[in-house]
Amino acid sequence: MPRRHFLQQFGMGLGTIALGDMLNPVSANAASADAVLQTLHHAPKAQRVIYLFQSGAPSQMDLFDYKPLLNEKHGEQLPDSVRGQQRLTGMSGNQSSLPLVGSPFKFAQHGESGLWMSDLLPHTSKVADELCVIHSMYTEAINHGPGVTHMQTGSQFPGRPSIGGWLSYGLGSENADLPAFIVMTTRDKKGQPLVSRYWGNGFLPARHQGVQFRSGGDPVLYLQNPAGISSDTRQGMLRALNRLHEIEKQETLDPQIDTRIAQYEMAFRMQTSIPEATDLSSEPEHIFELYGEQAREPGTFAANCLQARRLAERGVRFIQLYHPGWDHHGGLPGGLRTQCQETDQASAALITDLKQRGLLDDTLVIWGGEFGRTNYCQGKLTANSFGRDHHPRCFSLWMAGGGVKGGMSYGQTDPYCYNIVEKPVHVHDFHATLLHLLGIDHERLTYRYQGRAFRLTDVHGHVVEEILA
């Protein structure tokens, strides 16, 4: 046997022994057969995740973080004592003044929990008691590319696996006929570009990257057989191709061959599963009324939320929705109102729909962006319009279902909504908590690459125990 082959095979044997010793599971909760974690580290509270990512960074003090002091001091300068030595972006750092801006939207408390929300969220406010609103999120990223990359991969630098990729690698799929990780973006939305690395596999095998669904007749491109090719012919071709792949694998021991085989087989199964899963015509009228009329239009946020529920029902592990357009450097009052009209009803409907089907208890739903907005105006402050710049020091995000406490407000920002004064939650803490809810110790789901063990939380992260149900 060639030395290279011997070392690879011997190494795999030691790796299996080491993995079994390293995991030493607390409970006997089994993951799917294609998962690297054949036994979970502890009992999971969630089986799957739906992440409603609001790209561009929603303004926290205009939606969830009520700050009446900003209205009292509207037009006054941001005090130096509040800002300290914190950096500003190049977009507002050269302004001669930084006037504070109060929210033009009315706030009220909702539900038995009394969570504060603005009047831009009439539907979300009705499910307030299902939400855990974290007011004390923070990040180091101050621009969109690094910010979204950080939230999605745990690093500001491109090249790391996304959350969905890690979960596909660690937990596998609940449904062998559908991908473990599916991505949808709202159609025809302007804003910061959404690049495929946000849902990429990084250095993990390619089968763990997100599969992007598109709106229209073919959610997945090139899935259907060409004219003249029957299903039996396609299946025979795949059998022959797999035999050739097996021969090549025996000769080269190339692990990428297993990925190719798995991808071909998945594509064949998806020819049947995808049309059924994406056919919304079977949904009753009251469901479209729940999600709103836009749910009838493929590619809208509402339609994608309804599609996400259907995929959750069918065992897709991680479903990622992207809705751009929240980057309001100017024209915030009108722009924010439009964004909420597009997302508020469907977000609340998803919570309601999952709950009435008994899925909310083990489905974790997340809503939020990559960072927050400033309490001061970017550009000129007028009577009817203003903008807010990027602000990484504090922002709001909500979670629901999947083992988190409902009707909870966690963390606190100062009266100016500029700094965190209580219970900060870093991006790494958010990721550690997400993995914990799925039965994973974030320090023990690792992948060795370029001489070191990588993980989603890098060398950081603490589980936010207080929000766990």
mmCIF file with all atom_site columns, all heavy atoms in Angstrom, residues 51-58 148 301 320-326 339 343 347 366-371:
data_model
loop_
_atom_site.group_PDB
_atom_site.id
_atom_site.type_symbol
_atom_site.label_atom_id
_atom_site.label_alt_id
_atom_site.label_comp_id
_atom_site.label_asym_id
_atom_site.label_entity_id
_atom_site.label_seq_id
_atom_site.pdbx_PDB_ins_code
_atom_site.Cartn_x
_atom_site.Cartn_y
_atom_site.Cartn_z
_atom_site.occupancy
_atom_site.B_iso_or_equiv
_atom_site.pdbx_formal_charge
_atom_site.auth_seq_id
_atom_site.auth_comp_id
_atom_site.auth_asym_id
_atom_site.auth_atom_id
_atom_site.pdbx_PDB_model_num
ATOM 1   N N   . TYR A 1 51  ? -34.342 31.392 10.029 1.00 0.00 ? 51  TYR A N   1
ATOM 2   C CA  . TYR A 1 51  ? -33.660 32.652 10.321 1.00 0.00 ? 51  TYR A CA  1
ATOM 3   C C   . TYR A 1 51  ? -34.119 33.703 9.322  1.00 0.00 ? 51  TYR A C   1
ATOM 4   O O   . TYR A 1 51  ? -33.809 33.636 8.142  1.00 0.00 ? 51  TYR A O   1
ATOM 5   C CB  . TYR A 1 51  ? -32.149 32.437 10.226 1.00 0.00 ? 51  TYR A CB  1
ATOM 6   C CG  . TYR A 1 51  ? -31.275 33.530 10.809 1.00 0.00 ? 51  TYR A CG  1
ATOM 7   C CD1 . TYR A 1 51  ? -29.932 33.295 11.059 1.00 0.00 ? 51  TYR A CD1 1
ATOM 8   C CD2 . TYR A 1 51  ? -31.772 34.804 11.112 1.00 0.00 ? 51  TYR A CD2 1
ATOM 9   C CE1 . TYR A 1 51  ? -29.100 34.285 11.593 1.00 0.00 ? 51  TYR A CE1 1
ATOM 10  C CE2 . TYR A 1 51  ? -30.965 35.790 11.638 1.00 0.00 ? 51  TYR A CE2 1
ATOM 11  C CZ  . TYR A 1 51  ? -29.618 35.522 11.877 1.00 0.00 ? 51  TYR A CZ  1
ATOM 12  O OH  . TYR A 1 51  ? -28.810 36.515 12.399 1.00 0.00 ? 51  TYR A OH  1
ATOM 13  N N   . LEU A 1 52  ? -34.888 34.681 9.805  1.00 0.00 ? 52  LEU A N   1
ATOM 14  C CA  . LEU A 1 52  ? -35.413 35.760 8.970  1.00 0.00 ? 52  LEU A CA  1
ATOM 15  C C   . LEU A 1 52  ? -34.423 36.919 9.028  1.00 0.00 ? 52  LEU A C   1
ATOM 16  O O   . LEU A 1 52  ? -34.540 37.808 9.874  1.00 0.00 ? 52  LEU A O   1
ATOM 17  C CB  . LEU A 1 52  ? -36.792 36.189 9.475  1.00 0.00 ? 52  LEU A CB  1
ATOM 18  C CG  . LEU A 1 52  ? -37.814 35.059 9.702  1.00 0.00 ? 52  LEU A CG  1
ATOM 19  C CD1 . LEU A 1 52  ? -39.113 35.635 10.268 1.00 0.00 ? 52  LEU A CD1 1
ATOM 20  C CD2 . LEU A 1 52  ? -38.079 34.282 8.431  1.00 0.00 ? 52  LEU A CD2 1
ATOM 21  N N   . PHE A 1 53  ? -33.426 36.909 8.148  1.00 0.00 ? 53  PHE A N   1
ATOM 22  C CA  . PHE A 1 53  ? -32.362 37.894 8.227  1.00 0.00 ? 53  PHE A CA  1
ATOM 23  C C   . PHE A 1 53  ? -32.765 39.167 7.500  1.00 0.00 ? 53  PHE A C   1
ATOM 24  O O   . PHE A 1 53  ? -33.097 39.153 6.310  1.00 0.00 ? 53  PHE A O   1
ATOM 25  C CB  . PHE A 1 53  ? -31.067 37.342 7.627  1.00 0.00 ? 53  PHE A CB  1
ATOM 26  C CG  . PHE A 1 53  ? -29.877 38.202 7.936  1.00 0.00 ? 53  PHE A CG  1
ATOM 27  C CD1 . PHE A 1 53  ? -29.261 38.119 9.175  1.00 0.00 ? 53  PHE A CD1 1
ATOM 28  C CD2 . PHE A 1 53  ? -29.396 39.114 7.019  1.00 0.00 ? 53  PHE A CD2 1
ATOM 29  C CE1 . PHE A 1 53  ? -28.173 38.925 9.489  1.00 0.00 ? 53  PHE A CE1 1
ATOM 30  C CE2 . PHE A 1 53  ? -28.313 39.928 7.323  1.00 0.00 ? 53  PHE A CE2 1
ATOM 31  C CZ  . PHE A 1 53  ? -27.699 39.826 8.561  1.00 0.00 ? 53  PHE A CZ  1
ATOM 32  N N   . GLN A 1 54  ? -32.708 40.287 8.231  1.00 0.00 ? 54  GLN A N   1
ATOM 33  C CA  . GLN A 1 54  ? -33.125 41.590 7.710  1.00 0.00 ? 54  GLN A CA  1
ATOM 34  C C   . GLN A 1 54  ? -31.870 42.369 7.297  1.00 0.00 ? 54  GLN A C   1
ATOM 35  O O   . GLN A 1 54  ? -31.277 43.099 8.091  1.00 0.00 ? 54  GLN A O   1
ATOM 36  C CB  . GLN A 1 54  ? -33.940 42.335 8.753  1.00 0.00 ? 54  GLN A CB  1
ATOM 37  C CG  . GLN A 1 54  ? -35.066 41.514 9.377  1.00 0.00 ? 54  GLN A CG  1
ATOM 38  C CD  . GLN A 1 54  ? -36.041 40.949 8.359  1.00 0.00 ? 54  GLN A CD  1
ATOM 39  O OE1 . GLN A 1 54  ? -36.474 41.657 7.454  1.00 0.00 ? 54  GLN A OE1 1
ATOM 40  N NE2 . GLN A 1 54  ? -36.391 39.678 8.494  1.00 0.00 ? 54  GLN A NE2 1
ATOM 41  N N   . SER A 1 55  ? -31.467 42.195 6.048  1.00 0.00 ? 55  SER A N   1
ATOM 42  C CA  . SER A 1 55  ? -30.199 42.718 5.558  1.00 0.00 ? 55  SER A CA  1
ATOM 43  C C   . SER A 1 55  ? -30.226 44.240 5.417  1.00 0.00 ? 55  SER A C   1
ATOM 44  O O   . SER A 1 55  ? -31.137 44.803 4.811  1.00 0.00 ? 55  SER A O   1
ATOM 45  C CB  . SER A 1 55  ? -29.875 42.085 4.200  1.00 0.00 ? 55  SER A CB  1
ATOM 46  O OG  . SER A 1 55  ? -28.728 42.642 3.628  1.00 0.00 ? 55  SER A OG  1
ATOM 47  N N   . GLY A 1 56  ? -29.207 44.896 5.963  1.00 0.00 ? 56  GLY A N   1
ATOM 48  C CA  . GLY A 1 56  ? -29.119 46.343 5.907  1.00 0.00 ? 56  GLY A CA  1
ATOM 49  C C   . GLY A 1 56  ? -29.164 46.996 7.267  1.00 0.00 ? 56  GLY A C   1
ATOM 50  O O   . GLY A 1 56  ? -28.807 48.158 7.416  1.00 0.00 ? 56  GLY A O   1
ATOM 51  N N   . ALA A 1 57  ? -29.628 46.251 8.286  1.00 0.00 ? 57  ALA A N   1
ATOM 52  C CA  . ALA A 1 57  ? -29.625 46.702 9.682  1.00 0.00 ? 57  ALA A CA  1
ATOM 53  C C   . ALA A 1 57  ? -30.836 47.564 10.037 1.00 0.00 ? 57  ALA A C   1
ATOM 54  O O   . ALA A 1 57  ? -30.829 48.787 9.857  1.00 0.00 ? 57  ALA A O   1
ATOM 55  C CB  . ALA A 1 57  ? -28.331 47.443 10.027 1.00 0.00 ? 57  ALA A CB  1
ATOM 56  N N   . PRO A 1 58  ? -31.913 46.956 10.568 1.00 0.00 ? 58  PRO A N   1
ATOM 57  C CA  . PRO A 1 58  ? -33.081 47.721 11.017 1.00 0.00 ? 58  PRO A CA  1
ATOM 58  C C   . PRO A 1 58  ? -32.735 48.642 12.178 1.00 0.00 ? 58  PRO A C   1
ATOM 59  O O   . PRO A 1 58  ? -31.845 48.341 12.980 1.00 0.00 ? 58  PRO A O   1
ATOM 60  C CB  . PRO A 1 58  ? -34.076 46.640 11.451 1.00 0.00 ? 58  PRO A CB  1
ATOM 61  C CG  . PRO A 1 58  ? -33.592 45.378 10.823 1.00 0.00 ? 58  PRO A CG  1
ATOM 62  C CD  . PRO A 1 58  ? -32.110 45.507 10.709 1.00 0.00 ? 58  PRO A CD  1
ATOM 63  N N   . VAL A 1 148 ? -22.558 41.269 7.921  1.00 0.00 ? 148 VAL A N   1
ATOM 64  C CA  . VAL A 1 148 ? -23.379 40.109 7.561  1.00 0.00 ? 148 VAL A CA  1
ATOM 65  C C   . VAL A 1 148 ? -22.540 38.840 7.629  1.00 0.00 ? 148 VAL A C   1
ATOM 66  O O   . VAL A 1 148 ? -22.998 37.793 8.116  1.00 0.00 ? 148 VAL A O   1
ATOM 67  C CB  . VAL A 1 148 ? -23.989 40.286 6.154  1.00 0.00 ? 148 VAL A CB  1
ATOM 68  C CG1 . VAL A 1 148 ? -24.821 39.066 5.779  1.00 0.00 ? 148 VAL A CG1 1
ATOM 69  C CG2 . VAL A 1 148 ? -24.851 41.548 6.092  1.00 0.00 ? 148 VAL A CG2 1
ATOM 70  N N   . PHE A 1 301 ? -41.407 38.318 0.493  1.00 0.00 ? 301 PHE A N   1
ATOM 71  C CA  . PHE A 1 301 ? -41.053 37.861 1.830  1.00 0.00 ? 301 PHE A CA  1
ATOM 72  C C   . PHE A 1 301 ? -42.167 37.003 2.416  1.00 0.00 ? 301 PHE A C   1
ATOM 73  O O   . PHE A 1 301 ? -41.910 35.982 3.063  1.00 0.00 ? 301 PHE A O   1
ATOM 74  C CB  . PHE A 1 301 ? -40.773 39.060 2.732  1.00 0.00 ? 301 PHE A CB  1
ATOM 75  C CG  . PHE A 1 301 ? -40.365 38.692 4.127  1.00 0.00 ? 301 PHE A CG  1
ATOM 76  C CD1 . PHE A 1 301 ? -39.073 38.272 4.403  1.00 0.00 ? 301 PHE A CD1 1
ATOM 77  C CD2 . PHE A 1 301 ? -41.272 38.774 5.183  1.00 0.00 ? 301 PHE A CD2 1
ATOM 78  C CE1 . PHE A 1 301 ? -38.686 37.930 5.691  1.00 0.00 ? 301 PHE A CE1 1
ATOM 79  C CE2 . PHE A 1 301 ? -40.894 38.435 6.479  1.00 0.00 ? 301 PHE A CE2 1
ATOM 80  C CZ  . PHE A 1 301 ? -39.600 38.013 6.737  1.00 0.00 ? 301 PHE A CZ  1
ATOM 81  N N   . GLN A 1 320 ? -32.976 29.738 5.713  1.00 0.00 ? 320 GLN A N   1
ATOM 82  C CA  . GLN A 1 320 ? -32.491 31.112 5.816  1.00 0.00 ? 320 GLN A CA  1
ATOM 83  C C   . GLN A 1 320 ? -33.213 31.998 4.814  1.00 0.00 ? 320 GLN A C   1
ATOM 84  O O   . GLN A 1 320 ? -33.190 31.745 3.614  1.00 0.00 ? 320 GLN A O   1
ATOM 85  C CB  . GLN A 1 320 ? -30.990 31.149 5.515  1.00 0.00 ? 320 GLN A CB  1
ATOM 86  C CG  . GLN A 1 320 ? -30.379 32.527 5.565  1.00 0.00 ? 320 GLN A CG  1
ATOM 87  C CD  . GLN A 1 320 ? -29.882 32.904 6.950  1.00 0.00 ? 320 GLN A CD  1
ATOM 88  O OE1 . GLN A 1 320 ? -29.016 32.233 7.488  1.00 0.00 ? 320 GLN A OE1 1
ATOM 89  N NE2 . GLN A 1 320 ? -30.423 33.965 7.523  1.00 0.00 ? 320 GLN A NE2 1
ATOM 90  N N   . LEU A 1 321 ? -33.893 33.034 5.312  1.00 0.00 ? 321 LEU A N   1
ATOM 91  C CA  . LEU A 1 321 ? -34.536 34.023 4.455  1.00 0.00 ? 321 LEU A CA  1
ATOM 92  C C   . LEU A 1 321 ? -33.773 35.337 4.565  1.00 0.00 ? 321 LEU A C   1
ATOM 93  O O   . LEU A 1 321 ? -33.410 35.759 5.666  1.00 0.00 ? 321 LEU A O   1
ATOM 94  C CB  . LEU A 1 321 ? -35.994 34.253 4.866  1.00 0.00 ? 321 LEU A CB  1
ATOM 95  C CG  . LEU A 1 321 ? -37.064 33.345 4.267  1.00 0.00 ? 321 LEU A CG  1
ATOM 96  C CD1 . LEU A 1 321 ? -36.816 31.880 4.603  1.00 0.00 ? 321 LEU A CD1 1
ATOM 97  C CD2 . LEU A 1 321 ? -38.454 33.754 4.756  1.00 0.00 ? 321 LEU A CD2 1
ATOM 98  N N   . TYR A 1 322 ? -33.520 35.968 3.425  1.00 0.00 ? 322 TYR A N   1
ATOM 99  C CA  . TYR A 1 322 ? -32.875 37.277 3.396  1.00 0.00 ? 322 TYR A CA  1
ATOM 100 C C   . TYR A 1 322 ? -33.852 38.302 2.824  1.00 0.00 ? 322 TYR A C   1
ATOM 101 O O   . TYR A 1 322 ? -34.402 38.097 1.736  1.00 0.00 ? 322 TYR A O   1
ATOM 102 C CB  . TYR A 1 322 ? -31.617 37.256 2.521  1.00 0.00 ? 322 TYR A CB  1
ATOM 103 C CG  . TYR A 1 322 ? -30.451 36.511 3.107  1.00 0.00 ? 322 TYR A CG  1
ATOM 104 C CD1 . TYR A 1 322 ? -30.271 35.155 2.858  1.00 0.00 ? 322 TYR A CD1 1
ATOM 105 C CD2 . TYR A 1 322 ? -29.511 37.163 3.906  1.00 0.00 ? 322 TYR A CD2 1
ATOM 106 C CE1 . TYR A 1 322 ? -29.188 34.465 3.380  1.00 0.00 ? 322 TYR A CE1 1
ATOM 107 C CE2 . TYR A 1 322 ? -28.429 36.484 4.437  1.00 0.00 ? 322 TYR A CE2 1
ATOM 108 C CZ  . TYR A 1 322 ? -28.272 35.138 4.171  1.00 0.00 ? 322 TYR A CZ  1
ATOM 109 O OH  . TYR A 1 322 ? -27.194 34.461 4.697  1.00 0.00 ? 322 TYR A OH  1
ATOM 110 N N   . HIS A 1 323 ? -34.029 39.395 3.572  1.00 0.00 ? 323 HIS A N   1
ATOM 111 C CA  . HIS A 1 323 ? -34.874 40.492 3.093  1.00 0.00 ? 323 HIS A CA  1
ATOM 112 C C   . HIS A 1 323 ? -34.067 41.785 3.130  1.00 0.00 ? 323 HIS A C   1
ATOM 113 O O   . HIS A 1 323 ? -33.877 42.385 4.204  1.00 0.00 ? 323 HIS A O   1
ATOM 114 C CB  . HIS A 1 323 ? -36.127 40.636 3.945  1.00 0.00 ? 323 HIS A CB  1
ATOM 115 C CG  . HIS A 1 323 ? -37.106 41.636 3.394  1.00 0.00 ? 323 HIS A CG  1
ATOM 116 N ND1 . HIS A 1 323 ? -37.925 41.362 2.324  1.00 0.00 ? 323 HIS A ND1 1
ATOM 117 C CD2 . HIS A 1 323 ? -37.378 42.915 3.763  1.00 0.00 ? 323 HIS A CD2 1
ATOM 118 C CE1 . HIS A 1 323 ? -38.667 42.429 2.055  1.00 0.00 ? 323 HIS A CE1 1
ATOM 119 N NE2 . HIS A 1 323 ? -38.347 43.392 2.910  1.00 0.00 ? 323 HIS A NE2 1
ATOM 120 N N   . PRO A 1 324 ? -33.541 42.243 1.993  1.00 0.00 ? 324 PRO A N   1
ATOM 121 C CA  . PRO A 1 324 ? -32.725 43.470 1.971  1.00 0.00 ? 324 PRO A CA  1
ATOM 122 C C   . PRO A 1 324 ? -33.580 44.729 2.075  1.00 0.00 ? 324 PRO A C   1
ATOM 123 O O   . PRO A 1 324 ? -34.813 44.671 2.070  1.00 0.00 ? 324 PRO A O   1
ATOM 124 C CB  . PRO A 1 324 ? -32.028 43.393 0.600  1.00 0.00 ? 324 PRO A CB  1
ATOM 125 C CG  . PRO A 1 324 ? -32.337 42.039 0.040  1.00 0.00 ? 324 PRO A CG  1
ATOM 126 C CD  . PRO A 1 324 ? -33.608 41.593 0.685  1.00 0.00 ? 324 PRO A CD  1
ATOM 127 N N   . GLY A 1 325 ? -32.894 45.881 2.155  1.00 0.00 ? 325 GLY A N   1
ATOM 128 C CA  . GLY A 1 325 ? -33.579 47.163 2.080  1.00 0.00 ? 325 GLY A CA  1
ATOM 129 C C   . GLY A 1 325 ? -33.655 47.955 3.364  1.00 0.00 ? 325 GLY A C   1
ATOM 130 O O   . GLY A 1 325 ? -34.319 48.998 3.417  1.00 0.00 ? 325 GLY A O   1
ATOM 131 N N   . TRP A 1 326 ? -32.963 47.496 4.437  1.00 0.00 ? 326 TRP A N   1
ATOM 132 C CA  . TRP A 1 326 ? -33.078 48.158 5.735  1.00 0.00 ? 326 TRP A CA  1
ATOM 133 C C   . TRP A 1 326 ? -31.991 49.209 5.962  1.00 0.00 ? 326 TRP A C   1
ATOM 134 O O   . TRP A 1 326 ? -31.864 49.730 7.071  1.00 0.00 ? 326 TRP A O   1
ATOM 135 C CB  . TRP A 1 326 ? -32.999 47.127 6.859  1.00 0.00 ? 326 TRP A CB  1
ATOM 136 C CG  . TRP A 1 326 ? -34.125 46.144 6.901  1.00 0.00 ? 326 TRP A CG  1
ATOM 137 C CD1 . TRP A 1 326 ? -34.175 44.927 6.284  1.00 0.00 ? 326 TRP A CD1 1
ATOM 138 C CD2 . TRP A 1 326 ? -35.372 46.284 7.602  1.00 0.00 ? 326 TRP A CD2 1
ATOM 139 N NE1 . TRP A 1 326 ? -35.357 44.295 6.567  1.00 0.00 ? 326 TRP A NE1 1
ATOM 140 C CE2 . TRP A 1 326 ? -36.120 45.100 7.362  1.00 0.00 ? 326 TRP A CE2 1
ATOM 141 C CE3 . TRP A 1 326 ? -35.919 47.285 8.410  1.00 0.00 ? 326 TRP A CE3 1
ATOM 142 C CZ2 . TRP A 1 326 ? -37.382 44.893 7.904  1.00 0.00 ? 326 TRP A CZ2 1
ATOM 143 C CZ3 . TRP A 1 326 ? -37.182 47.082 8.947  1.00 0.00 ? 326 TRP A CZ3 1
ATOM 144 C CH2 . TRP A 1 326 ? -37.903 45.904 8.699  1.00 0.00 ? 326 TRP A CH2 1
ATOM 145 N N   . GLN A 1 339 ? -40.544 48.836 4.635  1.00 0.00 ? 339 GLN A N   1
ATOM 146 C CA  . GLN A 1 339 ? -39.944 47.551 5.027  1.00 0.00 ? 339 GLN A CA  1
ATOM 147 C C   . GLN A 1 339 ? -40.847 46.781 5.987  1.00 0.00 ? 339 GLN A C   1
ATOM 148 O O   . GLN A 1 339 ? -41.017 45.562 5.867  1.00 0.00 ? 339 GLN A O   1
ATOM 149 C CB  . GLN A 1 339 ? -38.590 47.787 5.689  1.00 0.00 ? 339 GLN A CB  1
ATOM 150 C CG  . GLN A 1 339 ? -37.504 48.280 4.759  1.00 0.00 ? 339 GLN A CG  1
ATOM 151 C CD  . GLN A 1 339 ? -37.120 47.244 3.718  1.00 0.00 ? 339 GLN A CD  1
ATOM 152 O OE1 . GLN A 1 339 ? -37.425 47.392 2.535  1.00 0.00 ? 339 GLN A OE1 1
ATOM 153 N NE2 . GLN A 1 339 ? -36.464 46.189 4.139  1.00 0.00 ? 339 GLN A NE2 1
ATOM 154 N N   . THR A 1 343 ? -42.800 42.982 5.801  1.00 0.00 ? 343 THR A N   1
ATOM 155 C CA  . THR A 1 343 ? -42.315 41.889 6.649  1.00 0.00 ? 343 THR A CA  1
ATOM 156 C C   . THR A 1 343 ? -43.127 41.628 7.906  1.00 0.00 ? 343 THR A C   1
ATOM 157 O O   . THR A 1 343 ? -43.121 40.506 8.429  1.00 0.00 ? 343 THR A O   1
ATOM 158 C CB  . THR A 1 343 ? -40.866 42.175 7.086  1.00 0.00 ? 343 THR A CB  1
ATOM 159 O OG1 . THR A 1 343 ? -40.823 43.423 7.801  1.00 0.00 ? 343 THR A OG1 1
ATOM 160 C CG2 . THR A 1 343 ? -39.937 42.270 5.878  1.00 0.00 ? 343 THR A CG2 1
ATOM 161 N N   . SER A 1 347 ? -44.012 37.769 9.222  1.00 0.00 ? 347 SER A N   1
ATOM 162 C CA  . SER A 1 347 ? -43.192 37.305 10.350 1.00 0.00 ? 347 SER A CA  1
ATOM 163 C C   . SER A 1 347 ? -44.076 36.814 11.486 1.00 0.00 ? 347 SER A C   1
ATOM 164 O O   . SER A 1 347 ? -43.834 35.747 12.072 1.00 0.00 ? 347 SER A O   1
ATOM 165 C CB  . SER A 1 347 ? -42.281 38.431 10.842 1.00 0.00 ? 347 SER A CB  1
ATOM 166 O OG  . SER A 1 347 ? -41.406 38.867 9.830  1.00 0.00 ? 347 SER A OG  1
ATOM 167 N N   . ILE A 1 366 ? -35.725 33.204 14.229 1.00 0.00 ? 366 ILE A N   1
ATOM 168 C CA  . ILE A 1 366 ? -34.856 34.344 14.555 1.00 0.00 ? 366 ILE A CA  1
ATOM 169 C C   . ILE A 1 366 ? -35.145 35.480 13.583 1.00 0.00 ? 366 ILE A C   1
ATOM 170 O O   . ILE A 1 366 ? -35.324 35.237 12.384 1.00 0.00 ? 366 ILE A O   1
ATOM 171 C CB  . ILE A 1 366 ? -33.363 33.957 14.450 1.00 0.00 ? 366 ILE A CB  1
ATOM 172 C CG1 . ILE A 1 366 ? -33.061 32.736 15.323 1.00 0.00 ? 366 ILE A CG1 1
ATOM 173 C CG2 . ILE A 1 366 ? -32.460 35.128 14.836 1.00 0.00 ? 366 ILE A CG2 1
ATOM 174 C CD1 . ILE A 1 366 ? -31.714 32.111 15.049 1.00 0.00 ? 366 ILE A CD1 1
ATOM 175 N N   . TRP A 1 367 ? -35.199 36.707 14.079 1.00 0.00 ? 367 TRP A N   1
ATOM 176 C CA  . TRP A 1 367 ? -35.426 37.908 13.255 1.00 0.00 ? 367 TRP A CA  1
ATOM 177 C C   . TRP A 1 367 ? -34.414 38.966 13.648 1.00 0.00 ? 367 TRP A C   1
ATOM 178 O O   . TRP A 1 367 ? -34.327 39.351 14.823 1.00 0.00 ? 367 TRP A O   1
ATOM 179 C CB  . TRP A 1 367 ? -36.837 38.438 13.493 1.00 0.00 ? 367 TRP A CB  1
ATOM 180 C CG  . TRP A 1 367 ? -37.333 39.508 12.567 1.00 0.00 ? 367 TRP A CG  1
ATOM 181 C CD1 . TRP A 1 367 ? -38.209 39.349 11.531 1.00 0.00 ? 367 TRP A CD1 1
ATOM 182 C CD2 . TRP A 1 367 ? -37.031 40.921 12.604 1.00 0.00 ? 367 TRP A CD2 1
ATOM 183 N NE1 . TRP A 1 367 ? -38.464 40.556 10.930 1.00 0.00 ? 367 TRP A NE1 1
ATOM 184 C CE2 . TRP A 1 367 ? -37.748 41.550 11.556 1.00 0.00 ? 367 TRP A CE2 1
ATOM 185 C CE3 . TRP A 1 367 ? -36.215 41.703 13.407 1.00 0.00 ? 367 TRP A CE3 1
ATOM 186 C CZ2 . TRP A 1 367 ? -37.668 42.912 11.313 1.00 0.00 ? 367 TRP A CZ2 1
ATOM 187 C CZ3 . TRP A 1 367 ? -36.120 43.064 13.166 1.00 0.00 ? 367 TRP A CZ3 1
ATOM 188 C CH2 . TRP A 1 367 ? -36.851 43.661 12.119 1.00 0.00 ? 367 TRP A CH2 1
ATOM 189 N N   . GLY A 1 368 ? -33.633 39.461 12.692 1.00 0.00 ? 368 GLY A N   1
ATOM 190 C CA  . GLY A 1 368 ? -32.693 40.536 12.996 1.00 0.00 ? 368 GLY A CA  1
ATOM 191 C C   . GLY A 1 368 ? -31.709 40.771 11.872 1.00 0.00 ? 368 GLY A C   1
ATOM 192 O O   . GLY A 1 368 ? -31.657 40.010 10.901 1.00 0.00 ? 368 GLY A O   1
ATOM 193 N N   . GLY A 1 369 ? -30.918 41.847 12.005 1.00 0.00 ? 369 GLY A N   1
ATOM 194 C CA  . GLY A 1 369 ? -29.944 42.222 10.994 1.00 0.00 ? 369 GLY A CA  1
ATOM 195 C C   . GLY A 1 369 ? -28.519 42.081 11.474 1.00 0.00 ? 369 GLY A C   1
ATOM 196 O O   . GLY A 1 369 ? -28.244 41.373 12.450 1.00 0.00 ? 369 GLY A O   1
ATOM 197 N N   . GLU A 1 370 ? -27.581 42.806 10.816 1.00 0.00 ? 370 GLU A N   1
ATOM 198 C CA  . GLU A 1 370 ? -26.157 42.631 11.085 1.00 0.00 ? 370 GLU A CA  1
ATOM 199 C C   . GLU A 1 370 ? -25.605 43.590 12.138 1.00 0.00 ? 370 GLU A C   1
ATOM 200 O O   . GLU A 1 370 ? -24.571 43.325 12.731 1.00 0.00 ? 370 GLU A O   1
ATOM 201 C CB  . GLU A 1 370 ? -25.340 42.763 9.797  1.00 0.00 ? 370 GLU A CB  1
ATOM 202 C CG  . GLU A 1 370 ? -25.427 44.116 9.107  1.00 0.00 ? 370 GLU A CG  1
ATOM 203 C CD  . GLU A 1 370 ? -26.492 44.176 8.035  1.00 0.00 ? 370 GLU A CD  1
ATOM 204 O OE1 . GLU A 1 370 ? -27.584 43.616 8.263  1.00 0.00 ? 370 GLU A OE1 1
ATOM 205 O OE2 . GLU A 1 370 ? -26.246 44.788 6.984  1.00 0.00 ? 370 GLU A OE2 1
ATOM 206 N N   . PHE A 1 371 ? -26.238 44.731 12.356 1.00 0.00 ? 371 PHE A N   1
ATOM 207 C CA  . PHE A 1 371 ? -25.891 45.657 13.435 1.00 0.00 ? 371 PHE A CA  1
ATOM 208 C C   . PHE A 1 371 ? -27.040 46.633 13.595 1.00 0.00 ? 371 PHE A C   1
ATOM 209 O O   . PHE A 1 371 ? -28.126 46.425 13.039 1.00 0.00 ? 371 PHE A O   1
ATOM 210 C CB  . PHE A 1 371 ? -24.561 46.388 13.205 1.00 0.00 ? 371 PHE A CB  1
ATOM 211 C CG  . PHE A 1 371 ? -24.275 46.827 11.783 1.00 0.00 ? 371 PHE A CG  1
ATOM 212 C CD1 . PHE A 1 371 ? -25.058 47.764 11.141 1.00 0.00 ? 371 PHE A CD1 1
ATOM 213 C CD2 . PHE A 1 371 ? -23.186 46.295 11.088 1.00 0.00 ? 371 PHE A CD2 1
ATOM 214 C CE1 . PHE A 1 371 ? -24.778 48.176 9.839  1.00 0.00 ? 371 PHE A CE1 1
ATOM 215 C CE2 . PHE A 1 371 ? -22.898 46.699 9.781  1.00 0.00 ? 371 PHE A CE2 1
ATOM 216 C CZ  . PHE A 1 371 ? -23.689 47.634 9.165  1.00 0.00 ? 371 PHE A CZ  1
#
